């Protein structure tokens, strides 16, 4: 084996069993890598392999080198929510599995993995092409309802970073699965994130983040995807459910396309704080009443809420089915799309089906919204005359 | 190596060569895993690696543990149909390759891999996060025409299952490549399924299955994707050809988007048995005449056939090119979209190009269908007045 | 280990260090594979593993066997452009990393990897299911501006090929990252191609190529994707930037959907030489002024340029923002979509936002173009009366 390939279960340098504290072992491996790779041009990083097994993590891993790949053999998801609500006496397995890490920090930290390197200017700290692949991070204790959650964080990037990858991973029962601050071109694809408070948070600022082909299953009280101050975010081909909530604060030129979205609550996609020129196309929105409760949003908030300008909403299906007695405020007509503020938002070729009289609503401050074959006349409430409407016949 | 990592070619416990019967070897490995992992909280499963090689499978593998990952180094596809129709005397390779398994059961079973665990209630039998990745299952004998096919099945899940993954696999010359009964959140992505009778079948009931980024090349007489009683199926980003046939029976809230579809036959997407509130958007449909024959559907059936309500068909391209002499029934105008039954189906912004006078047809029983910029007046035949039509100018 | 698994760093047969010339080592491994696999039915190929490390490649690799999988542990991208424009004295890493190959041929060839096998008829030479996965090809010297570029080529396929895969790879500072001639069903997914002159070129002819879920970041003077004489190309779910240029020559029935596109230049998608019946849907187009200069196209060329018939452009967002002083020719209104030639092109439900008076333009020779809710009256210039227009209100 090349000396850049590590197996947590066989590496001779570990002073503790990886089953007892895989975090400590990985930190020791990183120290070993750094002791061997000492100049600017001798730092290719390494791969750390986590074979199938049940591992505890007591100590936070701190990654401060580029190109590290941490890789297992399976995301190992098992629904702990179903387990915790079921008699399990005769179950064969009651834990997640494959390359399965139980996040049980006793070091005072909240993160299983912290990616951070100090240095000024920020390009010194900037970390490149770190990869998390194909293992399971399990917060152990339920985060549902998330408040008060268990406060555990799966992976947190707190330095500027470029081209990082999170692929094929499993996350369960964490308050925060993935937080990435200062992301440039991160690739978050083919993951299974479920029963977490928050799935993906892009904090600080980000550009051209790509979130594709994931299952994001959770977020009863948090967010499926949260981004702030982002440019060019792409969210495509994901299945996002039971509490789909994609919230963008001051995010521009995002593309949210070809996703399958399902929620028990309003605010499935919210474009806030002047988020503008975003595209929401070819998504399937399903809203039902069921598991979980929330008072965060009432049914006037909209499944899609737009507070920004020049956004585009085209070619989406909205399937709304909630018993009338479960609408808040009581007796209200539920809002499918609320254009809350902004100029020149464009809606075309959307299809709304609902068990109740559902609405596309334009607030009074909005200007020049176009609503083209996206609502029947009965489905349309405009509190401004500054708009154009072609009703679905 | 951790004892959860197996290589079929080096594992000392095998009583038969994996090249002679890889099925028997994998069953022995599974027995070994079970002998070591004996309590509810000591069952992370394992990874079984199949290096490149030509392996025969004489004995069906039965998987009754969660978290097992079976992984090779390449899907190894080679077109056996081209081979079987060509002089191959000077060919270098005449078999598929990489991690290549010839399915040649002599045990009386049809499946190469059966995933099944008994137990009541169904949550006892429920299997989690099993992974098939990056190897080739080859049925050896052609399935074309599929009737009578070779009856071989690549992978069959017959217990309820959660978060299973089939990724990077190759399938060739099997009557049925993948059958999953009782699927919750399966991930079927980046596979190469070709020259099989049926590609993917979701039987029983399923929820939020995700079928993305695959090549599905085959199904002369079967189905590219068949699903029944499904909720929230997502089919996105796939290339599906020579006989694209996606058939949904009583499937609701599916999303079929951004696929490249090509067929020699009608019925490229059929929404049957009240399949409702489905979205078909941003797909490219190509219909030609060529390889293969079929009498399953005539050209009045529609490339898209809708027998359900509240479905949405938007932003698709239809490119029809079949010699007039090959249309059945003879002399008919071919149907591009047939709304066969149901209420409030919505078609908008679709573009139909054809070498013949092609039609969007609304049957007499249909109500409140909307056809908006999806057909010229000449391309439209309504056998009901209960509809709304805005013709493409 | 099975004898079909090779590690470039440990294989005993190498006569040179892989760190000195990984190309020579891989060629020796291929010779070893061929010496062991000698008949048509004993050629499964092999996997060649490249652990993390900095490797030089002095000798071109020639692959003339099917099913070979060359695999690393990480694409290892680091922005060499940012590095070369920054003071790096305090940087920790200054090279790309992970499984990192510096392309430094001293053998007179331009390619790092050439895939080619001679033989007639072409089916003899046809190569199947070759896989490049998860390593980095670095051209070392900048290709920006690409003319005169460094002329280096990452991977070139020059024989007919079927079902080849390029996945999870990194490419940087190459004039040409990937060239595939005669491709049938290639799978190019989840790669990171950046700071190259050309990203992906499908030369000769191709069918049903699939380009999905990639970052394609570069092409200041070349192409993000170039294809000629192609049928059924699918480009979906990609993020393509700073100089997005997808150019199709005589390509028919392509599907370009759900991509996030950004450019500093015109010609983001060009359908040339009678490219027809293509679908461009649910993409986000962003055009800005900034990094890089080019005189290849002026602002009358169009962000989307169509010279073909029966194409479909639906459900896209166009966000144009260029200072008026940077428009060429000076004073012109920039063109968003130019229908240059052809019959029956169809535009519907597109949304154009711009800081300048931007236009959809129909040239005089065009016939029967439909422009439906895709431009306001002020945004529309038709040099023919043979069209239909429904203006966005």
């Amino acid at each position: 084996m090349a000396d850049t390939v590590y197996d947590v279960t066989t590496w001779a340098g570990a002073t503790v069993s990886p089953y007892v504290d895989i975090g400590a072992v990985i930190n020791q491996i990183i120290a070993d890598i750094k002791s061997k790779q000492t100049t600017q041009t001798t730092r290719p990083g390494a791969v750390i392999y986590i074979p199938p097994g049940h591992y505890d993590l007591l100590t936070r891993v701190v990654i401060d080198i580029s190109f590290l790949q941490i890789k297992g053999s399976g995301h190992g998801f098992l629904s702990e929510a179903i387990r915790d609500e079921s008699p399990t006496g005769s179950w064969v397995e009651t834990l997640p599995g494959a390359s399965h890490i139980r996040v049980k920090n006793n070091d005072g930290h909240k993160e299983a993995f912290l990616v951070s390197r100090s240095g000024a200017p920020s390009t010194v700290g900037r970390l490149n092409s770190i990869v998390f692949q194909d293992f399971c991070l399990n917060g152990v204790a339920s985060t549902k309802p998330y408040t008060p959650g268990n406060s555990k964080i799966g992976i947190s990037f707190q330095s500027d970073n470029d081209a990082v990858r999170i692929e094929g991973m499993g996350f369960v029962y964490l308050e925060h699965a993935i937080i990435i601050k200062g992301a440039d071109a991160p690739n978050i694809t083919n993951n299974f994130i479920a029963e977490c408070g928050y799935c993906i948070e892009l904090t600080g600022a980000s550009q051209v983040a790509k979130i594709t082909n994931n299952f994001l299953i959770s977020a009863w009280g948090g967010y499926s995807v949260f981004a702030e101050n982002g440019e060019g975010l792409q969210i495509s081909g994901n299945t996002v459910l039971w509490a789909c909530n994609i919230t963008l604060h001051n995010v521009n030129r995002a593309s949210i396309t070809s996703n399958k979205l399902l929620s028990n609550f309003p605010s499935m996609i919210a474009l806030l704080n002047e988020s503008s020129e975003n595209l929401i196309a070819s998504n399937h929105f399903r809203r039902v009443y069921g598991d979980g409760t929330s008072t965060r949003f009432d049914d006037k908030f909209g499944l899609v809420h737009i507070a920004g300008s020049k956004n585009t909403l085209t070619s989406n299906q909205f399937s709304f089915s909630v018993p009338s007695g479960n609408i808040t405020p009581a007796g209200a007509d539920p809002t499918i799309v609320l254009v809350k503020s902004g100029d020149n938002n464009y809606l075309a070729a959307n299809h709304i089906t609902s068990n109740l009289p559902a609405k596309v609503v334009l607030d009074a401050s909005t200007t020049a919204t176009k609503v083209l074959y996206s609502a029947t006349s009965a489905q349309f409430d405009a509190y401004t005359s500054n708009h154009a409407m072609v009703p679905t016949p």
Side-chain angles (χ1 to χ4, degrees), chain A:
Chain A
M1 287 272 221
D3 70 356
T4 54
V5 179
Y6 294 82
D7 178 326
V8 294
T9 65
T10 60
W11 181 58
T15 63
V16 60
S17 162
Y19 303 105
V20 172
D21 187 3
I22 194 171
V25 173
I26 294 176
N27 282 332
Q28 292 174 347
I29 290 173
I30 291 169
D32 189 67
I33 296 166
K34 291 163 74 172
S35 74
K36 295 179 186 168
Q37 301 183 4
T38 57
T39 75
Q40 288 181 325
T41 58
T42 60
R43 295 187 185 273
V47 54
I48 301 175
Y49 177 57
I50 303 170
H54 297 302
Y55 304 88
D56 283 356
L57 183 146
L58 306 180
T59 306
R60 179 177 75 178
V61 175
V62 179
I63 299 178
D64 60 355
I65 56 172
S66 292
F67 314 126
L68 192 67
Q69 184 178 59
I70 303 181
K71 183 171 184 172
S73 287
H75 68 43
F77 178 75
L78 171 146
S79 171
E80 299 193 302
I82 292 176
R83 178 200 63 193
D84 289 349
E85 295 164 0
S86 306
T88 60
S90 53
W91 282 29
V92 179
E93 305 99 353
T94 54
L95 291 181
S99 300
H100 169 225
I101 296 179
R102 283 176 287 212
V103 180
K104 300 166 71 173
N105 297 58
N106 64 6
D107 60 354
H109 295 298
K110 298 181 293 186
E111 307 91 348
F113 289 87
L114 173 67
V115 181
S116 174
R117 182 162 68 188
S118 57
S122 65
T123 49
V124 176
R126 185 176 170 102
L127 286 155
N128 296 277
S129 297
I130 292 167
V131 185
F132 294 90
Q133 196 170 52
D134 215 22
F135 63 96
C136 181
L137 286 170
N138 173 13
V140 180
S142 176
T143 64
K144 178 198 177 190
Y146 86 106
T147 309
N150 62 21
S151 84
K152 293 183 184 177
I153 299 170
I155 302 172
S156 177
F157 289 77
Q158 291 297 323
S159 290
D160 282 358
N161 55 85
D162 194 3
V164 302
R165 304 162 68 182
I166 300 178
E167 303 181 3
M169 293 287 295
F171 298 86
V172 60
Y173 268 18
L174 294 155
E175 183 165 324
H176 302 266
I178 301 169
I179 300 171
I180 310 183
K181 184 179 176 186
D184 189 353
N187 195 44
I188 304 174
T189 197
N190 203 28
N191 299 288
F192 201 98
I193 309 179
E195 303 172 359
C196 291
Y198 298 71
C199 294
I200 300 169
E201 294 159 87
L202 300 171
T203 60
S206 65
Q207 60 176 336
V208 295
K210 182 154 70 69
I211 300 173
T212 53
N213 200 18
N214 299 286
F215 280 104
L216 306 179
I217 305 178
S218 45
W220 291 273
Y223 299 105
S224 308
V225 177
F226 171 88
E228 58 187 3
N229 312 316
E231 175 70 36
L233 172 60
Q234 162 145 252
I235 301 175
S236 183
N238 302 286
T239 291
V240 188
L241 56 145
W242 292 105
C244 170
N245 184 322
I246 298 171
T247 293
L248 309 186
H249 278 265
N250 185 31
V251 171
N252 299 309
R253 274 75 62 179
S255 183
I256 305 176
T257 60
S258 286
N259 299 288
K260 168 72 191 144
L261 310 174
L262 168 60
S263 186
N264 294 321
F265 311 115
S267 193
M268 295 177 68
I269 299 181
L271 307 180
L272 305 179
N273 287 27
E274 303 302 320
S275 293
S276 294
E277 302 187 41
N278 300 289
L279 172 66
I280 302 172
S282 298
N283 301 289
H284 193 291
F285 294 79
R286 170 66 167 168
R287 166 80 159 89
V288 292
Y289 176 76
D291 184 41
T293 58
S294 172
T295 57
R296 290 205 293 175
F297 310 100
D298 68 20
D299 287 292
K300 308 298 279 183
F301 190 82
L303 300 187
V304 173
H305 181 108
I306 300 176
S309 295
K310 302 180 181 174
N311 297 290
T312 300
L313 180 74
T314 49
S315 203
N316 301 285
Q317 164 117 10
F318 294 91
S319 295
F320 187 98
S321 180
V322 173
S324 59
N326 297 110
I327 298 294
T328 58
D333 289 341
T335 298
I336 302 298
V337 180
L338 173 60
V339 184
K340 179 68 179 172
S341 62
D343 180 61
N344 192 20
N345 291 295
Y346 176 98
L347 288 65
N350 300 290
H351 186 206
I352 297 170
T353 69
S354 173
N355 68 319
L356 298 174
K359 301 288 185 180
V360 171
V361 178
L362 310 187
D363 263 20
S365 71
T366 62
T367 52
T369 306
K370 282 75 175 174
V371 181
L372 312 172
Y373 296 131
S374 293
T376 62
S377 295
Q379 288 173 333
F380 185 64
D381 274 354
Y383 295 90
T384 170
S385 61
N386 188 346
H387 72 264
M389 164 69 175
V390 179
T392 301

